[in-house]
Amino acid sequence: MAWLYLIIASLFEVGWPLGFKLADIHRDKFWLFIALSIVSMSLSGLFLYLAQRTIPISTAYIVWTGIGAICTFIIGLIFFSDTATILRMFFALLILVGVAGMELTAK
């Protein structure tokens, strides 16, 4: 169950930078997106807390930030035309490999 909490926490981790970006783009809904960012941050923190009760905090934190970073990177590429150079893709892959390695060696 702890790994499920960690995955949920990681997905909510994506919500707050996305909310900040949308608040910047859609100034007419600024406070709505800021509020969604705050809710997302809070839920991310709550689920991280629940996960780290069982999973070592070093593993939980690295997986949490890594999944959040990779998902945010992908959203930026797909929806916000972020730059997709070979080097950026390579370094994102390194983050993904690091997250997978932490999960595989957590026991």
Side-chain angles (χ1 to χ4, degrees), residues 1-14 16 39-68 99 102-103:
M1 192 66 161
W3 283 100
L4 178 61
Y5 288 149
L6 188 56
I7 291 168
I8 293 169
S10 300
L11 294 177
F12 278 116
E13 179 70 2
V14 175
W16 66 269
V39 169
S40 186
M41 277 185 229
S42 300
L43 290 172
S44 180
L46 172 66
F47 282 101
L48 176 62
Y49 162 75
L50 294 173
Q52 64 85 35
R53 292 188 317 183
T54 305
I55 299 169
I57 189 62
S58 58
T59 302
Y61 186 73
I62 289 171
V63 170
W64 176 66
T65 57
I67 291 173
V99 168
M102 290 300 289
E103 286 186 45

Side-chain angles (χ1 to χ4, degrees), residues 25-40:
I25 293 171
H26 303 287
R27 292 289 183 161
D28 57 319
K29 296 178 183 168
F30 175 84
W31 289 110
L32 170 67
F33 289 120
I34 293 299
L36 289 174
S37 293
I38 292 168
V39 169
S40 186

